[in-house]
Amino acid sequence: QQQVKQSPQSLIVQKGGISIINCAYENTAFDYFPWYQQFPGKGPALLIAIRPDVSEKKEGRFTISFNKSAKQFSLHIMDSQPGDSATYFCAAYTGNQFYFGTGTSLTVIP
Amino acid sequence: DTGVSQDPRHKITKRGQNVTFRCDPISEHNRLYWYRQTLGQGPEFLTYFQNEAQLEKSRLLSDRFSAERPKGSFSTLEIQRTEQGDSAMYLCASSFFGNQETQYFGPGTRLLVL
């Protein structure tokens, strides 16, 4: 079964807008939650990550919001740019294994 | 340091043939992971090594799949008697034991089984 559920499957945002991608999990043993960005034909690249003892982490235009009680976390991309158009994956880590969401294809329209 | 490299980048083979992929991790990274990614899905864990020891394999991993990391540096993933369902992107990632959650992915090997 899918350990990490990600939505939406695809997202279209105007340049300058905010992109929001959501993930949910059930396993409370997860202790690290990264987000990856993947361009066509490339491997995923780590974007930003958070641990469950923190409710928010911001790096530049990228912010993770984490709700431990709801077992949900989300990626916010502020001032979205056409260069942000890519597929984004959330993931969760425990027991030396990563579990990935199904991905969100983001398109930023100029 | 040029990052994680994988070879070949693309492989087309006929059903029933054996294929082998190579991954060169970032130097001094003692953890190495193999994943499979199909279209529209996230990477799916296959197996991982710490140095030369293979510590875990996915229950979903068919016995046609085998991986090695003989000297704790590069790794190979072999698929025997390939099936059309094996068509996917095979990704390798490495991490340093002291910061094991931070994985660096290679560009992947795209396999097409005809």
Side-chain angles (χ1 to χ4, degrees):
Chain A
Q1 71 279 17
Q2 192 70 34
Q3 295 244 14
V4 181
K5 296 182 179 179
Q6 183 171 346
S7 64
Q9 185 175 5
S10 62
L11 183 61
I12 300 174
V13 173
Q14 292 275 359
K15 178 183 175 181
I18 302 173
S19 303
I20 302 174
I21 305 170
N22 301 299
C23 284
Y25 65 96
E26 287 297 325
N27 188 349
T28 55
F30 289 140
D31 57 8
Y32 180 77
F33 300 87
W35 284 89
Y36 290 85
Q37 179 188 58
Q38 186 175 29
F39 293 104
K42 306 287 187 181
L46 179 64
L47 199 57
I48 186 172
I50 197 167
R51 296 194 185 275
D53 54 348
V54 177
S55 62
E56 185 176 281
K57 184 174 181 179
K58 183 176 181 180
E59 290 184 1
R61 297 185 294 110
F62 301 92
T63 300
I64 300 178
S65 296
F66 189 86
N67 186 328
K68 189 175 181 178
S69 60
K71 295 185 225 173
Q72 295 175 348
F73 58 110
S74 59
L75 175 70
H76 296 236
I77 306 174
M78 312 300 287
D79 186 27
S80 298
Q81 298 296 312
D84 297 331
S85 297
T87 299
Y88 293 81
F89 293 96
C90 62
Y93 176 83
T94 187
N96 300 313
Q97 278 195 43
F98 288 85
Y99 299 86
F100 287 81
T102 51
T104 296
S105 177
L106 171 65
T107 302
V108 181
I109 300 171
Chain B
D1 190 347
T2 57
V4 179
S5 62
Q6 293 187 245
D7 183 72
R9 294 292 309 278
H10 303 274
K11 179 71 175 179
I12 300 174
T13 191
K14 293 183 179 180
R15 184 165 51 94
Q17 297 293 306
N18 299 344
V19 294
T20 300
F21 309 141
R22 176 178 170 128
C23 171
D24 286 88
I26 294 172
S27 59
E28 298 181 356
H29 277 197
N30 44 18
R31 284 208 171 178
L32 187 149
Y33 289 76
W34 284 100
Y35 294 90
R36 176 170 58 195
Q37 184 178 26
T38 53
L39 201 61
Q41 299 294 318
E44 176 190 29
F45 169 80
L46 294 179
T47 188
Y48 93 92
F49 293 83
Q50 182 155 310
N51 301 312
E52 67 276 7
Q54 187 174 19
L55 295 187
E56 195 156 350
K57 291 169 61 174
S58 168
R59 289 189 298 269
L60 303 175
L61 196 64
S62 161
D63 57 7
R64 296 184 296 105
F65 287 69
S66 62
E68 293 183 342
R69 196 183 182 197
K71 297 183 179 179
S73 56
F74 73 91
S75 176
T76 58
L77 177 68
E78 180 182 18
I79 310 174
Q80 295 182 326
R81 305 180 303 281
T82 53
E83 301 173 356
Q84 288 185 324
D86 297 331
S87 296
M89 173 81 88
Y90 290 85
L91 292 163
C92 175
S94 71
S95 63
F96 180 61
F97 182 67
N99 188 17
Q100 61 200 24
E101 299 103 338
T102 303
Q103 285 195 330
Y104 297 85
F105 280 87
T109 294
R110 184 166 294 283
L111 173 66
L112 178 60
V113 181
L114 300 176

